[in-house]
Amino acid sequence: MIQPVILSGGKGSRLWPLSREQHPKQFLNVRGNGTLFQQTVRRIGIIPDVSSTMVLCNNDHRFLVAEQLRELNHHARIVLEPTARDTAPALCVAALLCREEDPVLLILPADHVISNDPQFAEAVAKAAPLAQDGDLVTLGVRPGHAEPNFGYLRAGAPVGDGFQVDKFTEKPDQQTAQALLSDPKYFWNSGIFLTKASTLYQELQRFEPEIVHCCDQAVAGQYNDLDFIRLDREAFSRCPAKSIDYAVMERTERCRMVPLDAEWSDLGSWSAMRHSAQDKDAAGNVLRGDVLAQDCTNCYLHSQKRLLAAVGLQDIIAVETPDAILVGHKDKMQHVRDITQQLKTQHRTEALAHTTEYRPWGGFECIATEHRFQVKRIQVKPGHILSLQMHHHRAEHWIIVKGTAKVRIGDNDFLLTEDQSTYIPIGQVHRLENPGKVPLELIEIQTGSYLGEDDIVRFEDVYGR
């Protein structure tokens, strides 16, 4: 039996501004066939003899994960990491939760692209027997170009349908990456691997006993919260933050590699996004959205909302979103992470969220923000209800655009339909619900001295927030 484990805790900061901390790249539909997370979930369906999927994600993304699974009608155990501690603690938790059955774990990052699913299934089938025998088996990808942002591994002696891994080289410089490209024994480390739960636990115990000790306590303190499994926060927070590669894979003598020839990409940068695109024009450009390009070569031009026009550009990445624009040379895109760090240092919201934010009940888009007022477009899914709440610093006007709203203000419950409106004074307890069968859309106008999302006092909330 194979236990799929999806790691969905990444922030995707190198794909800013499209990817934000509260809505990272695994939840983006970058190719028009579902989000990267949903593609990963669907890929599991072609693997025979698999058990129910396990997803590890952070607390802020729990409702995004649940909603995207619901759209696929796919059941999964969703385990929430109380704080970011990288992949070794997350996978230690997965091994502990599967300790009794001791299946082969198929570890899958949530944000990769694999264009040839049958080839992926074939590689997994070759790797599974090695994992069943007690090895840790990573899937290696033949390099298509010199890539300094990837980890490399060197194939040694054949073992079954794979190879012994003789050496790891983590993110080499450009010159070294070019040299490795010409050596047929070197492969990219895809980050996808298979191992028995007991093998992973033993190797973590051997190399990182502190991680195992903290995760043991975190799992012992687990509890259910709605459809989620929560770990003991204090115990998990004491875990050293370490990747599984550094913690185990580069130190164990039990590491094996099976080649993966399935048109794989981790989409780890805008350069990788351009390189992996299959719809380049005759000049090597990738155009997304409302884009006009004249005399441009080898560019990636992406517009989310406004017209993006480019003239005479070469090797340029330009990405437009409603609140931010990124422009840079394709060979410098690894520095986008530095931009997001500057935004965080300056406490700018563009690092964290889009103008459109998602909630378990639907979501909202901020249309306009000025001193003492803010305008939002709100959508509530059929049958969903917001928390019973009040605000200390703002009043609200609601204008119904589409559907029917059930509104509570104080002790009064009433219905509003299209073109009707209501007013909620500062300090008044209120609630919004969509009792209908179609999405509810409304315009909310906020006025007051403070308009932050943290000015919410919740009295009841079906989502446990």
Side-chain angles (χ1 to χ4, degrees), residues 27-240:
F27 304 119
L28 300 176
N29 187 345
V30 296
R31 287 193 166 186
N33 55 347
T35 69
L36 297 177
F37 174 80
Q38 289 176 321
Q39 291 178 41
T40 303
V41 172
R42 284 200 296 260
R43 197 170 295 125
I44 291 168
I46 67 172
I47 307 297
D49 195 28
V50 297
S51 59
S52 177
T53 305
M54 180 186 299
V55 180
L56 291 113
C57 68
N58 70 43
N59 183 70
D60 289 345
H61 300 156
R62 66 193 187 280
F63 293 117
L64 277 170
V65 167
E67 175 63 16
Q68 297 203 356
L69 287 168
R70 186 198 63 78
E71 290 175 358
L72 298 177
N73 196 27
H74 187 98
H75 174 73
R77 284 193 289 174
I78 305 174
V79 183
L80 305 182
E81 301 172 64
T83 186
R85 283 295 179 264
D86 218 320
T87 53
L91 290 175
C92 186
V93 166
L96 285 165
L97 291 172
C98 299
R99 186 162 44 182
E100 187 174 331
E101 300 86 359
D102 194 22
V104 170
L105 306 179
L106 170 58
I107 314 299
L108 297 164
D111 55 0
H112 291 185
V113 164
I114 294 177
S115 298
N116 192 327
D117 285 349
Q119 286 293 99
F120 166 74
E122 183 178 329
V124 170
K126 291 179 179 179
L130 294 172
Q132 189 65 50
D133 288 342
D135 292 330
L136 296 97
V137 190
T138 187
L139 303 187
V141 177
R142 182 77 65 186
H145 59 279
E147 178 52 72
N149 293 310
F150 288 172
Y152 289 71
L153 46 87
R154 188 178 190 274
V159 182
D161 285 322
F163 301 89
Q164 173 71 35
V165 174
D166 284 348
K167 183 180 180 182
F168 279 83
T169 302
E170 184 64 21
K171 295 184 179 179
D173 58 33
Q174 185 67 37
Q175 184 177 358
T176 303
Q178 191 65 47
L180 298 181
L181 181 63
S182 61
D183 188 334
K185 292 189 176 182
Y186 274 93
F187 291 76
W188 285 333
N189 179 11
S190 71
I192 303 169
F193 69 98
L194 293 87
T195 178
K196 287 186 72 174
S198 57
T199 302
L200 182 58
Y201 181 84
Q202 290 163 11
E203 294 301 272
L204 281 165
Q205 181 69 63
R206 176 182 170 198
F207 295 116
E208 298 289 344
E210 188 177 357
I211 288 179
V212 173
H213 175 70
C214 294
C215 288
D216 261 322
Q217 292 184 327
V219 170
Q222 69 175 288
Y223 62 96
N224 292 329
D225 176 14
L226 300 176
D227 296 326
F228 311 107
I229 299 172
R230 290 191 180 273
L231 307 173
D232 183 89
R233 171 177 290 275
E234 184 178 347
F236 192 80
S237 298
R238 291 197 299 268
C239 271

Side-chain angles (χ1 to χ4, degrees), residues 120-409:
F120 166 74
E122 183 178 329
V124 170
K126 291 179 179 179
L130 294 172
Q132 189 65 50
D133 288 342
D135 292 330
L136 296 97
V137 190
T138 187
L139 303 187
V141 177
R142 182 77 65 186
H145 59 279
E147 178 52 72
N149 293 310
F150 288 172
Y152 289 71
L153 46 87
R154 188 178 190 274
V159 182
D161 285 322
F163 301 89
Q164 173 71 35
V165 174
D166 284 348
K167 183 180 180 182
F168 279 83
T169 302
E170 184 64 21
K171 295 184 179 179
D173 58 33
Q174 185 67 37
Q175 184 177 358
T176 303
Q178 191 65 47
L180 298 181
L181 181 63
S182 61
D183 188 334
K185 292 189 176 182
Y186 274 93
F187 291 76
W188 285 333
N189 179 11
S190 71
I192 303 169
F193 69 98
L194 293 87
T195 178
K196 287 186 72 174
S198 57
T199 302
L200 182 58
Y201 181 84
Q202 290 163 11
E203 294 301 272
L204 281 165
Q205 181 69 63
R206 176 182 170 198
F207 295 116
E208 298 289 344
E210 188 177 357
I211 288 179
V212 173
H213 175 70
C214 294
C215 288
D216 261 322
Q217 292 184 327
V219 170
Q222 69 175 288
Y223 62 96
N224 292 329
D225 176 14
L226 300 176
D227 296 326
F228 311 107
I229 299 172
R230 290 191 180 273
L231 307 173
D232 183 89
R233 171 177 290 275
E234 184 178 347
F236 192 80
S237 298
R238 291 197 299 268
C239 271
K242 201 168 274 192
S243 74
I244 194 65
D245 285 342
Y246 285 129
V248 172
M249 303 298 280
E250 297 182 13
R251 300 159 76 179
T252 180
E253 67 281 357
R254 301 163 76 175
C255 187
R256 308 288 184 259
M257 187 275 295
V258 167
L260 173 66
D261 183 15
E263 300 174 56
W264 168 92
S265 174
D266 80 334
L267 295 185
S269 69
W270 285 111
S271 299
M273 186 80 83
R274 193 202 74 83
H275 192 272
S276 67
Q278 298 177 328
D279 57 348
K280 300 181 184 72
D281 66 17
N285 300 306
V286 178
L287 309 179
R288 297 279 187 267
D290 191 6
V291 175
L292 296 176
Q294 181 71 34
D295 295 329
C296 294
T297 306
N298 295 330
C299 293
Y300 185 97
L301 306 175
H302 186 123
S303 170
Q304 200 172 53
K305 191 165 187 177
R306 291 164 288 185
L307 169 65
L308 173 59
V311 178
L313 300 181
Q314 182 175 351
D315 298 331
I316 293 298
I317 308 289
V319 182
E320 178 273 342
T321 67
D323 62 340
I325 299 172
L326 170 71
V327 181
H329 192 277
K330 68 178 182 63
D331 293 337
K332 300 293 184 179
M333 286 295 104
Q334 69 270 23
H335 298 301
V336 171
R337 182 175 287 175
D338 300 333
I339 296 292
T340 62
Q341 190 55 52
Q342 289 183 49
L343 292 171
K344 289 180 183 179
T345 300
Q346 297 172 20
H347 305 290
R348 297 191 58 151
T349 59
E350 292 93 336
L352 302 176
H354 289 280
T355 55
T356 298
E357 296 191 34
Y358 298 91
R359 296 292 185 267
W361 44 261
F364 63 84
E365 177 187 7
C366 186
I367 300 172
T369 301
E370 297 291 343
H371 180 58
R372 294 189 63 87
F373 82 87
Q374 184 167 243
V375 181
K376 293 181 177 179
R377 178 187 291 114
I378 296 176
Q379 184 175 90
V380 184
K381 293 182 289 188
H384 284 254
I385 183 170
L386 281 66
S387 61
L388 183 66
Q389 59 184 250
M390 60 86 71
H391 312 293
H392 287 296
H393 303 288
R394 72 175 186 249
E396 296 175 342
H397 291 76
W398 292 345
I399 305 167
I400 308 304
V401 176
K402 177 183 176 181
T404 299
K406 183 179 179 181
V407 177
R408 172 180 291 184
I409 299 179

Side-chain angles (χ1 to χ4, degrees), residues 442-464:
L442 64 143
I443 298 298
E444 176 180 88
I445 303 172
Q446 302 176 355
T447 57
S449 59
Y450 179 73
L451 306 174
E453 280 299 300
D454 53 350
D455 179 24
I456 300 178
V457 179
R458 291 189 173 94
F459 303 99
E460 296 176 12
D461 185 31
V462 296
Y463 308 106

